[in-house]
Amino acid sequence: MWDSLLAVGRDPSSGGYRRFAWTPVDFMLRDWFTAEAQQRGMTVEEDRNGNLWAWWLPAGATGDPRDAFVTGSHLDSVPDGGAFDGPLGIVSAFTAIDLLRADRIEPRVPVAVVAFSDEEGARFGVACVGSQLSTGALTPERALSLRDGDGATLAEALRTAGRNPEHVGADPNLARRVGVYVELHVEQGRALDLLDKPVAVASAIWPHGRWRFTFCGAANHAGTTRLADRRDPMLTFATAAHDARRWAAAHDAVATFGKLRVTPNGANAIPSRIEAWLDARAPDEETLRALVGVITADAERSAANDRTSVRAEAESVSPAVLFPDEPRLRIQRALAADFGDVPVLPTAAGHDAGILSTKVPTAMLFVRNPTGVSHSPDEHAEITDCRLGARALACVMASWVAR
Ligand SMILES: [Zn+2]
Protein backbone atom coordinates (compact mmCIF):
# COMPACT_ATOMS: atom_id res chain seq x y z
CA MET A 1 0.00 0.00 0.00
CA TRP A 2 2.73 2.43 0.98
CA ASP A 3 4.56 2.10 -2.35
CA SER A 4 1.39 2.76 -4.33
CA LEU A 5 0.84 6.04 -2.45
CA LEU A 6 4.35 7.46 -2.48
CA ALA A 7 4.30 8.99 -5.96
CA VAL A 8 0.84 10.62 -5.68
CA GLY A 9 1.11 14.39 -5.34
CA ARG A 10 4.84 14.40 -4.66
CA ASP A 11 6.63 17.52 -5.87
CA PRO A 12 9.84 16.37 -7.56
CA SER A 13 11.80 19.53 -6.72
CA SER A 14 11.07 19.66 -2.96
CA GLY A 15 10.35 15.97 -2.37
CA GLY A 16 7.31 17.08 -0.35
CA TYR A 17 3.63 16.42 -0.95
CA ARG A 18 1.12 18.87 -2.38
CA ARG A 19 -2.13 17.02 -1.86
CA PHE A 20 -4.82 19.70 -1.74
CA ALA A 21 -8.55 19.29 -1.39
CA TRP A 22 -10.64 18.84 -4.52
CA THR A 23 -7.68 18.93 -6.92
CA PRO A 24 -6.72 16.20 -9.44
CA VAL A 25 -4.24 14.83 -6.86
CA ASP A 26 -7.08 14.55 -4.32
CA PHE A 27 -9.12 12.56 -6.85
CA MET A 28 -6.18 10.16 -7.34
CA LEU A 29 -5.99 9.66 -3.56
CA ARG A 30 -9.74 9.05 -3.39
CA ASP A 31 -9.43 6.48 -6.18
CA TRP A 32 -6.56 4.83 -4.29
CA PHE A 33 -8.70 4.63 -1.12
CA THR A 34 -11.64 3.16 -3.02
CA ALA A 35 -9.44 0.57 -4.73
CA GLU A 36 -7.87 -0.54 -1.43
CA ALA A 37 -11.31 -0.87 0.15
CA GLN A 38 -12.77 -2.76 -2.80
CA GLN A 39 -9.82 -5.17 -2.85
CA ARG A 40 -10.87 -6.08 0.68
CA GLY A 41 -14.52 -6.45 -0.24
CA MET A 42 -15.42 -3.30 1.72
CA THR A 43 -18.18 -1.01 0.48
CA VAL A 44 -17.20 2.63 0.02
CA GLU A 45 -19.44 5.63 0.45
CA GLU A 46 -18.74 9.34 0.28
CA ASP A 47 -20.77 11.28 2.83
CA ARG A 48 -22.36 14.67 2.17
CA ASN A 49 -19.09 16.46 3.08
CA GLY A 50 -16.72 14.46 0.91
CA ASN A 51 -15.41 12.18 3.68
CA LEU A 52 -14.83 8.61 2.47
CA TRP A 53 -16.02 5.62 4.53
CA ALA A 54 -15.10 2.00 3.80
CA TRP A 55 -17.22 -0.55 5.69
CA TRP A 56 -16.43 -4.04 6.95
CA LEU A 57 -19.73 -5.28 8.31
CA PRO A 58 -20.50 -8.30 10.52
CA ALA A 59 -21.70 -11.32 8.53
CA GLY A 60 -25.42 -11.08 7.87
CA ALA A 61 -25.62 -7.42 8.96
CA THR A 62 -28.48 -5.47 7.44
CA GLY A 63 -29.60 -1.87 7.65
CA ASP A 64 -27.58 1.22 8.43
CA PRO A 65 -24.42 0.51 10.49
CA ARG A 66 -24.54 1.44 14.19
CA ASP A 67 -21.92 1.76 16.94
CA ALA A 68 -19.04 1.05 14.56
CA PHE A 69 -15.37 0.88 15.42
CA VAL A 70 -14.06 3.63 13.14
CA THR A 71 -10.42 4.29 12.40
CA GLY A 72 -8.57 6.29 9.74
CA SER A 73 -7.17 9.77 9.21
CA HIS A 74 -6.72 12.02 6.17
CA LEU A 75 -4.96 11.83 2.80
CA ASP A 76 -4.45 15.54 2.06
CA SER A 77 -1.27 17.43 3.02
CA VAL A 78 0.13 20.83 3.83
CA PRO A 79 2.26 22.46 1.09
CA ASP A 80 5.39 20.29 0.85
CA GLY A 81 4.17 18.02 3.61
CA GLY A 82 5.64 14.69 4.62
CA ALA A 83 4.54 11.23 3.52
CA PHE A 84 3.24 10.05 6.91
CA ASP A 85 1.02 12.82 8.27
CA GLY A 86 -2.45 11.43 7.53
CA PRO A 87 -1.77 8.52 5.16
CA LEU A 88 -0.07 6.49 7.93
CA GLY A 89 -3.38 6.34 9.77
CA ILE A 90 -5.26 5.11 6.72
CA VAL A 91 -2.64 2.58 5.61
CA SER A 92 -2.47 1.31 9.22
CA ALA A 93 -6.27 1.04 9.35
CA PHE A 94 -6.41 -1.18 6.27
CA THR A 95 -3.40 -3.14 7.59
CA ALA A 96 -5.12 -3.68 10.94
CA ILE A 97 -8.12 -5.15 9.11
CA ASP A 98 -5.76 -7.44 7.17
CA LEU A 99 -4.17 -8.57 10.45
CA LEU A 100 -7.54 -9.38 12.01
CA ARG A 101 -8.60 -11.30 8.94
CA ALA A 102 -5.31 -13.22 8.96
CA ASP A 103 -6.24 -14.28 12.50
CA ARG A 104 -9.74 -15.22 11.20
CA ILE A 105 -11.35 -12.64 13.47
CA GLU A 106 -14.92 -11.81 12.45
CA PRO A 107 -16.30 -8.46 13.66
CA ARG A 108 -19.38 -8.45 15.84
CA VAL A 109 -19.81 -4.70 15.29
CA PRO A 110 -19.27 -2.76 12.05
CA VAL A 111 -15.73 -1.58 11.28
CA ALA A 112 -15.06 1.48 9.12
CA VAL A 113 -11.96 3.07 7.67
CA VAL A 114 -12.50 6.79 7.12
CA ALA A 115 -10.55 9.35 5.10
CA PHE A 116 -11.61 12.82 6.21
CA SER A 117 -11.70 15.47 3.51
CA ASP A 118 -9.48 18.57 3.63
CA GLU A 119 -7.95 18.06 7.09
CA GLU A 120 -4.99 20.39 6.64
CA GLY A 121 -6.93 23.28 5.17
CA ALA A 122 -4.01 24.00 2.83
CA ARG A 123 -6.21 25.21 -0.02
CA PHE A 124 -9.10 27.06 1.68
CA GLY A 125 -7.42 28.18 4.90
CA VAL A 126 -9.59 26.36 7.44
CA ALA A 127 -8.47 23.01 8.86
CA CYS A 128 -10.63 19.88 9.28
CA VAL A 129 -13.33 21.10 6.89
CA GLY A 130 -14.76 17.60 6.30
CA SER A 131 -15.06 16.65 9.96
CA GLN A 132 -16.08 20.15 11.09
CA LEU A 133 -18.95 20.18 8.59
CA SER A 134 -20.07 16.72 9.75
CA THR A 135 -20.16 17.68 13.43
CA GLY A 136 -21.75 21.05 12.66
CA ALA A 137 -18.76 22.98 14.04
CA LEU A 138 -18.46 24.69 10.63
CA THR A 139 -21.63 25.96 8.97
CA PRO A 140 -22.24 25.20 5.28
CA GLU A 141 -22.55 28.95 4.57
CA ARG A 142 -19.12 29.71 6.00
CA ALA A 143 -17.46 26.64 4.45
CA LEU A 144 -18.86 27.14 0.97
CA SER A 145 -17.73 30.76 0.83
CA LEU A 146 -14.10 29.96 1.77
CA ARG A 147 -11.76 30.95 -1.06
CA ASP A 148 -8.51 29.44 -2.26
CA GLY A 149 -5.45 31.47 -3.35
CA ASP A 150 -6.88 31.82 -6.87
CA GLY A 151 -10.18 33.20 -5.60
CA ALA A 152 -12.23 30.02 -6.20
CA THR A 153 -14.77 29.24 -3.48
CA LEU A 154 -15.19 25.81 -1.94
CA ALA A 155 -18.68 25.75 -3.48
CA GLU A 156 -17.13 26.23 -6.93
CA ALA A 157 -14.47 23.60 -6.25
CA LEU A 158 -17.14 21.10 -5.18
CA ARG A 159 -19.23 21.82 -8.27
CA THR A 160 -16.14 21.37 -10.50
CA ALA A 161 -15.53 18.06 -8.72
CA GLY A 162 -19.06 16.93 -9.62
CA ARG A 163 -20.35 17.32 -6.06
CA ASN A 164 -23.45 19.23 -5.05
CA PRO A 165 -22.56 22.04 -2.60
CA GLU A 166 -26.17 22.06 -1.41
CA HIS A 167 -25.63 18.65 0.18
CA VAL A 168 -22.90 19.91 2.52
CA GLY A 169 -23.77 20.10 6.24
CA ALA A 170 -24.00 18.37 9.62
CA ASP A 171 -24.18 14.58 9.36
CA PRO A 172 -27.25 13.35 11.28
CA ASN A 173 -25.93 9.75 11.17
CA LEU A 174 -22.58 10.47 12.80
CA ALA A 175 -23.37 9.87 16.48
CA ARG A 176 -25.46 6.78 15.75
CA ARG A 177 -23.00 5.19 13.35
CA VAL A 178 -19.72 5.83 15.19
CA GLY A 179 -19.28 3.90 18.44
CA VAL A 180 -15.67 5.02 18.78
CA TYR A 181 -13.17 6.80 16.50
CA VAL A 182 -9.52 5.81 16.99
CA GLU A 183 -7.07 7.78 14.82
CA LEU A 184 -3.49 6.59 14.42
CA HIS A 185 -1.08 9.39 13.48
CA VAL A 186 2.65 9.88 13.13
CA GLU A 187 3.87 11.83 16.14
CA GLN A 188 4.64 15.45 15.30
CA GLY A 189 7.23 15.92 18.00
CA ARG A 190 10.03 13.96 19.67
CA ALA A 191 8.40 12.77 22.89
CA LEU A 192 8.40 9.08 21.89
CA ASP A 193 11.96 9.26 20.65
CA LEU A 194 13.04 10.74 23.97
CA LEU A 195 11.13 8.00 25.84
CA ASP A 196 12.51 5.30 23.49
CA LYS A 197 9.02 3.90 22.83
CA PRO A 198 7.37 3.15 19.46
CA VAL A 199 3.72 3.94 20.26
CA ALA A 200 1.75 6.30 22.53
CA VAL A 201 -1.86 7.08 23.25
CA ALA A 202 -3.11 10.67 23.28
CA SER A 203 -4.35 12.49 26.38
CA ALA A 204 -5.29 15.88 24.94
CA ILE A 205 -4.97 18.35 22.08
CA TRP A 206 -3.84 21.87 22.91
CA PRO A 207 -6.25 24.67 21.98
CA HIS A 208 -4.99 26.36 18.82
CA GLY A 209 -5.98 28.74 16.08
CA ARG A 210 -5.11 30.87 13.08
CA TRP A 211 -5.35 34.65 13.06
CA ARG A 212 -4.94 36.86 9.99
CA PHE A 213 -3.00 40.07 10.65
CA THR A 214 -3.32 42.75 7.98
CA PHE A 215 -0.58 45.39 8.18
CA CYS A 216 -1.21 48.46 5.99
CA GLY A 217 1.21 51.24 5.00
CA ALA A 218 1.96 53.13 1.80
CA ALA A 219 3.61 51.74 -1.35
CA ASN A 220 6.51 53.79 -2.60
CA HIS A 221 9.81 53.66 -4.47
CA ALA A 222 12.45 51.59 -2.62
CA GLY A 223 15.20 53.85 -3.95
CA THR A 224 13.92 57.40 -3.82
CA THR A 225 11.73 57.44 -0.69
CA ARG A 226 13.56 58.92 2.29
CA LEU A 227 13.63 56.58 5.31
CA ALA A 228 11.91 59.23 7.41
CA ASP A 229 9.04 59.46 4.91
CA ARG A 230 8.28 55.77 4.73
CA ARG A 231 5.20 53.98 6.08
CA ASP A 232 6.52 50.44 5.71
CA PRO A 233 4.19 47.66 6.98
CA MET A 234 7.00 45.10 6.55
CA LEU A 235 8.78 46.69 9.51
CA THR A 236 5.66 46.41 11.66
CA PHE A 237 5.24 42.80 10.62
CA ALA A 238 8.90 41.98 11.36
CA THR A 239 8.56 43.41 14.86
CA ALA A 240 5.37 41.41 15.37
CA ALA A 241 7.15 38.20 14.32
CA HIS A 242 9.82 38.80 16.99
CA ASP A 243 7.21 39.75 19.60
CA ALA A 244 5.23 36.57 18.86
CA ARG A 245 8.29 34.46 19.56
CA ARG A 246 9.10 36.34 22.76
CA TRP A 247 5.54 36.14 24.12
CA ALA A 248 5.21 32.45 23.17
CA ALA A 249 8.30 31.68 25.27
CA ALA A 250 6.90 33.72 28.17
CA HIS A 251 3.63 31.72 28.06
CA ASP A 252 5.20 28.23 27.57
CA ALA A 253 3.29 28.16 24.29
CA VAL A 254 4.09 28.42 20.57
CA ALA A 255 3.31 31.16 18.05
CA THR A 256 4.33 31.20 14.40
CA PHE A 257 3.94 33.52 11.46
CA GLY A 258 4.26 30.97 8.63
CA LYS A 259 2.43 32.52 5.69
CA LEU A 260 2.62 35.99 4.16
CA ARG A 261 0.97 37.77 1.28
CA VAL A 262 2.85 40.92 0.28
CA THR A 263 1.28 43.64 -1.85
CA PRO A 264 2.53 44.62 -4.40
CA ASN A 265 5.34 42.09 -3.78
CA GLY A 266 7.95 43.96 -5.80
CA ALA A 267 11.67 43.73 -5.02
CA ASN A 268 12.08 47.50 -5.54
CA ALA A 269 8.91 48.69 -3.81
CA ILE A 270 8.02 49.45 -0.21
CA PRO A 271 4.94 47.28 0.33
CA SER A 272 1.51 48.80 0.84
CA ARG A 273 0.13 45.80 2.66
CA ILE A 274 1.24 42.61 4.38
CA GLU A 275 -1.19 39.87 5.27
CA ALA A 276 0.42 37.52 7.78
CA TRP A 277 -1.10 34.42 9.34
CA LEU A 278 -0.37 33.71 12.99
CA ASP A 279 -0.67 30.13 14.21
CA ALA A 280 -0.76 30.03 18.02
CA ARG A 281 -1.16 27.09 20.42
CA ALA A 282 -1.08 26.85 24.20
CA PRO A 283 -1.69 24.30 26.98
CA ASP A 284 -5.06 25.88 27.88
CA GLU A 285 -7.56 28.31 26.40
CA GLU A 286 -6.95 31.13 28.86
CA THR A 287 -3.23 31.13 28.03
CA LEU A 288 -3.97 31.07 24.31
CA ARG A 289 -6.31 34.07 24.60
CA ALA A 290 -3.75 35.96 26.66
CA LEU A 291 -0.96 35.13 24.21
CA VAL A 292 -2.81 36.32 21.10
CA GLY A 293 -4.00 39.37 23.07
CA VAL A 294 -0.47 40.55 23.90
CA ILE A 295 0.85 39.83 20.40
CA THR A 296 -2.01 41.89 18.95
CA ALA A 297 -1.52 44.74 21.45
CA ASP A 298 2.21 44.88 20.67
CA ALA A 299 1.50 44.89 16.92
CA GLU A 300 -0.86 47.84 17.40
CA ARG A 301 1.78 49.70 19.37
CA SER A 302 4.42 49.04 16.70
CA ALA A 303 2.01 50.13 13.99
CA ALA A 304 1.50 53.45 15.77
CA ASN A 305 5.30 53.93 15.94
CA ASP A 306 5.74 53.02 12.26
CA ARG A 307 2.76 55.14 11.07
CA THR A 308 1.16 51.99 9.68
CA SER A 309 -1.96 50.14 10.81
CA VAL A 310 -2.79 46.59 11.79
CA ARG A 311 -5.98 44.59 12.08
CA ALA A 312 -6.14 41.04 13.52
CA GLU A 313 -9.01 38.64 12.81
CA ALA A 314 -9.49 35.08 14.04
CA GLU A 315 -9.90 32.73 11.07
CA SER A 316 -10.37 29.54 13.06
CA VAL A 317 -9.95 28.75 16.73
CA SER A 318 -10.15 25.19 18.05
CA PRO A 319 -10.83 24.66 21.76
CA ALA A 320 -8.78 22.30 23.92
CA VAL A 321 -9.66 18.63 23.54
CA LEU A 322 -9.36 16.27 26.50
CA PHE A 323 -9.72 12.76 25.16
CA PRO A 324 -12.17 10.84 27.36
CA ASP A 325 -10.84 8.26 29.84
CA GLU A 326 -13.04 5.39 28.71
CA PRO A 327 -11.67 4.57 25.27
CA ARG A 328 -8.13 5.52 26.35
CA LEU A 329 -8.09 3.16 29.34
CA ARG A 330 -9.55 0.41 27.17
CA ILE A 331 -6.79 1.00 24.59
CA GLN A 332 -4.11 0.89 27.30
CA ARG A 333 -5.52 -2.44 28.53
CA ALA A 334 -5.68 -3.81 24.97
CA LEU A 335 -2.02 -2.90 24.38
CA ALA A 336 -0.64 -4.00 27.76
CA ALA A 337 0.19 -7.57 26.73
CA ASP A 338 2.18 -6.68 23.60
CA PHE A 339 3.34 -3.14 24.31
CA GLY A 340 3.56 -2.88 28.09
CA ASP A 341 2.95 0.52 29.64
CA VAL A 342 2.13 2.79 26.71
CA PRO A 343 3.03 6.47 27.22
CA VAL A 344 0.11 8.93 27.40
CA LEU A 345 0.95 12.22 25.67
CA PRO A 346 -0.72 15.54 24.82
CA THR A 347 -0.17 17.04 21.37
CA ALA A 348 -0.12 20.58 20.03
CA ALA A 349 -1.33 19.43 16.59
CA GLY A 350 -4.99 19.48 15.58
CA HIS A 351 -6.71 16.34 14.28
CA ASP A 352 -10.11 15.17 13.05
CA ALA A 353 -10.27 13.05 16.23
CA GLY A 354 -10.36 16.32 18.19
CA ILE A 355 -13.22 17.67 16.07
CA LEU A 356 -15.21 14.44 16.38
CA SER A 357 -14.69 14.35 20.15
CA THR A 358 -17.61 16.76 20.62
CA LYS A 359 -20.01 14.14 19.21
CA VAL A 360 -18.54 10.65 19.73
CA PRO A 361 -15.90 8.97 21.94
CA THR A 362 -12.49 9.43 20.31
CA ALA A 363 -8.91 8.38 20.99
CA MET A 364 -5.57 8.58 19.23
CA LEU A 365 -2.44 6.48 18.84
CA PHE A 366 0.88 8.09 17.95
CA VAL A 367 3.77 6.37 16.15
CA ARG A 368 7.33 7.45 16.91
CA ASN A 369 8.86 10.13 14.70
CA PRO A 370 12.64 9.91 15.28
CA THR A 371 13.36 13.56 14.44
CA GLY A 372 10.00 15.05 15.38
CA VAL A 373 9.97 16.85 12.02
CA SER A 374 6.52 17.15 10.43
CA HIS A 375 4.79 19.40 7.88
CA SER A 376 8.07 19.06 5.96
CA PRO A 377 9.45 16.71 3.29
CA ASP A 378 11.88 15.49 5.98
CA GLU A 379 9.12 13.95 8.10
CA HIS A 380 10.02 10.33 8.80
CA ALA A 381 9.02 7.18 10.65
CA GLU A 382 10.91 3.89 10.62
CA ILE A 383 9.16 1.02 8.87
CA THR A 384 9.59 -1.14 11.98
CA ASP A 385 7.69 1.48 14.03
CA CYS A 386 5.00 1.80 11.34
CA ARG A 387 4.49 -1.97 11.50
CA LEU A 388 4.28 -1.83 15.31
CA GLY A 389 1.76 0.99 15.01
CA ALA A 390 -0.45 -1.05 12.68
CA ARG A 391 -0.12 -4.02 15.04
CA ALA A 392 -1.12 -1.83 17.99
CA LEU A 393 -4.15 -0.59 16.06
CA ALA A 394 -5.03 -4.21 15.23
CA CYS A 395 -4.85 -5.13 18.96
CA VAL A 396 -7.18 -2.24 19.76
CA MET A 397 -9.54 -3.09 16.90
CA ALA A 398 -9.67 -6.76 17.92
CA SER A 399 -10.41 -5.84 21.54
CA TRP A 400 -13.43 -3.83 20.35
CA VAL A 401 -14.86 -5.92 17.58
CA ALA A 402 -13.87 -9.60 18.01
CA ARG A 403 -16.74 -11.98 18.69
ZN1 LIG B 1 -2.46 14.90 10.12
Side-chain angles (χ1 to χ4, degrees):
M1 263 185 284
W2 201 246
D3 288 344
S4 63
L5 259 183
L6 280 181
V8 183
R10 188 167 179 270
D11 184 272
S13 58
S14 69
Y17 289 88
R18 308 183 73 84
R19 294 167 168 170
F20 306 146
W22 305 112
T23 61
V25 167
D26 189 14
F27 303 139
M28 290 167 75
L29 294 163
R30 288 166 181 274
D31 289 347
W32 173 90
F33 180 94
T34 302
E36 288 298 331
Q38 285 173 345
Q39 266 176 40
R40 290 167 175 79
M42 301 170 78
T43 49
V44 177
E45 58 173 44
E46 186 178 301
D47 68 20
R48 58 194 307 184
N49 301 315
N51 307 310
L52 293 172
W53 300 74
W55 291 96
W56 178 26
L57 299 174
T62 54
D64 201 44
R66 296 179 84 92
D67 294 327
F69 179 91
V70 181
T71 180
S73 194
H74 61 94
L75 290 169
D76 67 312
S77 78
V78 295
D80 285 332
F84 298 85
D85 178 355
L88 184 65
I90 292 174
V91 169
S92 301
F94 283 125
T95 304
I97 288 175
D98 294 346
L99 290 168
L100 261 65
R101 287 176 169 180
D103 285 343
R104 303 194 174 284
I105 293 173
E106 280 286 328
R108 92 194 136 69
V109 295
V111 176
V113 178
V114 64
F116 283 107
S117 186
D118 197 6
E119 194 270 351
E120 299 287 7
R123 181 171 172 194
F124 295 100
V126 171
C128 300
V129 169
S131 57
Q132 286 210 72
L133 278 168
S134 288
T135 61
L138 183 63
T139 62
E141 297 70 38
R142 166 129 198 266
L144 293 172
S145 62
L146 294 171
R147 282 180 193 278
D148 70 9
D150 297 327
T153 62
L154 176 57
E156 287 158 2
L158 288 172
R159 232 174 264 122
T160 307
R163 270 65 170 184
N164 185 347
E166 282 162 29
H167 288 170
V168 158
D171 181 352
N173 300 321
L174 193 70
R176 191 180 68 244
R177 283 180 152 195
V178 181
V180 67
Y181 176 57
V182 180
E183 179 168 355
L184 177 146
H185 205 279
V186 68
E187 197 199 346
Q188 297 172 292
R190 281 190 61 214
L192 279 174
D193 182 56
L194 296 170
L195 292 166
D196 195 24
K197 297 268 196 173
V199 173
V201 56
S203 57
I205 298 178
W206 278 17
H208 56 279
R210 297 177 189 180
W211 288 261
R212 186 172 64 211
F213 283 65
T214 307
F215 300 90
C216 290
N220 212 331
H221 195 290
T224 59
T225 314
R226 295 188 326 141
L227 292 176
D229 292 339
R230 296 178 183 213
R231 293 172 52 213
D232 184 350
M234 186 66 87
L235 286 183
T236 320
F237 159 71
T239 308
H242 281 278
D243 287 339
R245 167 63 182 253
R246 188 165 51 80
W247 283 120
H251 286 77
D252 288 322
V254 288
T256 311
F257 280 105
K259 176 177 165 181
L260 290 185
R261 199 182 288 148
V262 182
T263 308
N265 209 24
N268 55 1
I270 298 160
S272 59
R273 191 169 64 153
I274 313 281
E275 285 168 286
W277 280 263
L278 176 75
D279 176 307
R281 305 168 193 236
D284 59 77
E285 290 168 22
E286 200 187 321
T287 308
L288 182 62
R289 263 193 305 276
L291 172 64
V292 176
V294 286
I295 293 171
T296 306
D298 271 6
E300 285 164 354
R301 215 171 353 248
S302 310
N305 281 339
D306 299 340
R307 297 187 304 132
T308 59
S309 68
V310 62
R311 192 176 73 240
E313 294 159 287
E315 278 196 341
S316 64
V317 184
S318 305
V321 174
L322 292 177
F323 288 111
D325 289 340
E326 205 288 314
R328 184 180 64 248
L329 293 170
R330 203 164 153 183
I331 287 172
Q332 288 173 275
R333 281 197 300 275
L335 295 178
D338 290 359
F339 292 84
D341 239 350
V342 176
V344 181
L345 302 174
T347 176
H351 297 286
D352 294 308
I355 304 296
L356 258 60
S357 69
T358 59
K359 298 286 176 199
V360 298
T362 61
M364 291 191 75
L365 294 172
F366 295 124
V367 171
R368 170 164 48 195
N369 175 336
T371 60
V373 172
S374 188
H375 286 187
S376 154
D378 294 333
E379 179 188 76
H380 184 66
E382 295 294 339
I383 183 71
T384 45
D385 285 345
C386 294
R387 288 204 173 107
L388 285 169
R391 188 161 293 282
L393 184 60
C395 286
V396 172
M397 188 186 285
S399 79
W400 241 275
V401 311
R403 278 185 193 282

